Amino acid sequence: MSSSSSTTSAVLLNTGVQMPLLGLGTYKLVASEDVYRAVDAALVAGYRAFDSAAVYRNEADLGQALKQLLPKHGLTREDVFITSKLGPEDQGERAMEGALRSLAQLDLGYIDLYLIHWPGTQGLVVADQRNPGNRAQSWVMLEELHAQGKLKAIGVSNYTPAHMRELIQSCKVPPAVLQVEFHPRLCQTELRSVCEEYGVCFQAYSSLGKGELVTDPVVMEVAKHCERTPAQVLLRWAVQQGVPVLPKSSNPDRIKDNARLFDFTLSDTDMDRLSALDCGHKYCRDSSEVA
Ligand code: NAP
């Protein structure tokens, strides 16, 4: 993985592979021309990671865009880090089929990181006692594809501390990454310490609070005195703690702007002011009730 650009700063996963601290989120990027334009702008701006999922219905468009754009930017498959996720409808006995479908849709030879998207199973109520067995079965399938080299790293998303401990106790291959919602209003202290204890990389999603946090008065004040945008402040707050981020934008100017994270530092006072916003607020679905 190239490290010539300041936007390719990376974290070391427990697989021994580096994962960029900055990746482009792609949730809600659906039309193929929108995916192409966003990936083009992101590659120019220095992004080397892209986060997709079976449920985003954009794996094929992302793979296609990369196949066209990597040569245009003088890059190869090995220069980028691709994440996708097993949909809740494929949790359990259909996991192998689901992961193979993601591999076929992306059509990039292998997937750098493949996550179980959600601890539950589509069609089961959250308290259903079949949920733990289903996610354990999914993990075994992912371990098999990992052993075959098709999924270079495997991990989970939206797992609670209890789901993490259950997985760590039963797995052969430990999860490389836990991807969860993380921003100043949701500091996830317990999950971060579980990840630290087990050597799992803690990765943030919805760092901008789905766009809503850019108008938070404290975020705006910090941005003003740092002469940065609120989005840069929110993203810098995470990466300065070593937490990888995945800001999503369909707008080329914002994609470029959101990547300017590695040429400034937030003071301890500003970091503390932002962290003090923690109130457990979730912009996304809560998985804490999933059995
Ligand atoms: P986000 O990145 O927090 O926010 C995206 C929103 O902010 C979009 O509406 C975007 O609008 C806007 N935005 C982007 N840059 C901005 C800027 N500089 N100033 C103002 N507004 C800006 O939200 P997210 O999409 O929920 O999370 C990011 C990524 O994380 C997703 O795309 C996905 O890849 C991943 N994710 C994973 C899970 C999971 O369950 N594993 C859940 C949620 C998200 P425009 O597009 O119009 O710029």
Side-chain angles (χ1 to χ4, degrees):
M1 180 111 15
S2 156
S3 60
S4 56
S5 160
S6 62
T7 53
T8 56
S9 299
V11 283
L12 186 65
L13 301 183
N14 60 15
T15 54
V17 167
Q18 303 267 358
M19 180 173 80
L21 271 172
L22 173 69
L24 184 73
T26 71
Y27 179 48
K28 292 201 172 155
L29 274 179
V30 273
S32 54
E33 57 276 20
D34 291 347
V35 174
Y36 184 92
R37 197 183 54 224
V39 172
D40 198 12
L43 289 171
V44 171
Y47 292 71
R48 294 294 178 264
F50 297 86
D51 181 77
S52 184
V55 298
Y56 302 169
R57 304 273 178 256
N58 61 14
E59 289 169 309
D61 286 333
L62 175 62
Q64 193 57 34
L66 285 166
K67 276 190 271 184
Q68 290 174 36
L69 288 164
L70 290 175
K72 176 183 160 191
H73 295 289
L75 297 167
T76 66
R77 169 68 182 91
E78 288 68 38
D79 292 318
V80 289
F81 188 102
I82 309 303
T83 298
S84 196
K85 313 183 194 87
L86 181 78
E89 72 275 21
D90 290 322
Q91 184 86 285
E93 61 186 18
R94 285 207 298 267
M96 177 65 76
E97 206 184 306
L100 290 173
R101 199 183 315 117
S102 285
L103 279 156
Q105 291 277 308
L106 280 158
D107 193 24
L108 294 168
Y110 59 90
I111 295 174
D112 296 275
L113 174 65
Y114 200 65
L115 308 175
I116 294 180
H117 203 147
W118 184 256
T121 310
Q122 191 162 307
L124 298 185
V125 295
V126 287
D128 196 303
Q129 291 306 317
R130 286 170 288 179
N131 280 317
N134 283 353
R135 58 180 175 266
Q137 197 173 5
S138 296
W139 191 256
V140 171
M141 306 284 179
L142 265 50
E143 286 178 328
E144 201 174 314
L145 291 169
H146 173 63
Q148 292 173 20
K150 291 178 175 152
L151 308 177
K152 298 291 180 194
I154 53 178
V156 291
S157 182
N158 298 299
Y159 274 34
T160 63
H163 299 139
M164 288 302 284
R165 291 197 180 95
E166 165 203 89
L167 173 60
I168 298 285
Q169 276 159 23
S170 63
C171 65
K172 285 199 200 113
V173 178
V177 171
L178 168 66
Q179 186 188 109
V180 291
E181 184 176 344
F182 177 69
H183 44 68
R185 288 190 188 160
L186 184 68
C187 290
Q188 301 275 27
T189 315
E190 187 185 359
L191 265 178
R192 286 191 69 195
S193 64
V194 170
C195 284
E196 199 171 340
E197 183 182 348
Y198 296 114
V200 179
C201 171
F202 177 96
Q203 183 178 44
Y205 73 64
S206 299
S207 301
L208 310 178
K210 294 189 165 286
E212 289 184 34
L213 274 174
V214 299
T215 53
D216 178 281
V218 173
V219 175
M220 287 172 75
E221 226 176 272
V222 171
K224 196 172 171 196
H225 94 84
C226 293
E227 300 182 337
R228 291 288 171 154
T229 67
Q232 286 164 350
V233 164
L234 288 161
L235 297 166
R236 180 69 206 179
W237 172 83
V239 298
Q240 199 162 308
Q241 299 174 71
V243 176
V245 292
L246 300 164
K248 176 264 169 183
S249 181
S250 50
N251 175 321
D253 291 334
R254 284 175 168 176
I255 289 171
K256 186 175 164 196
D257 184 64
N258 294 346
R260 289 188 52 228
L261 305 178
F262 300 97
D263 59 347
F264 76 110
T265 307
L266 292 171
S267 68
D268 290 349
T269 311
D270 285 340
M271 289 295 285
D272 291 346
R273 282 188 76 194
L274 292 163
S275 301
L277 295 174
D278 189 16
C279 59
H281 184 85
K282 289 189 174 138
Y283 294 93
C284 302
R285 211 170 140 202
D286 187 353
S287 59
S288 58
E289 301 296 318
V290 178

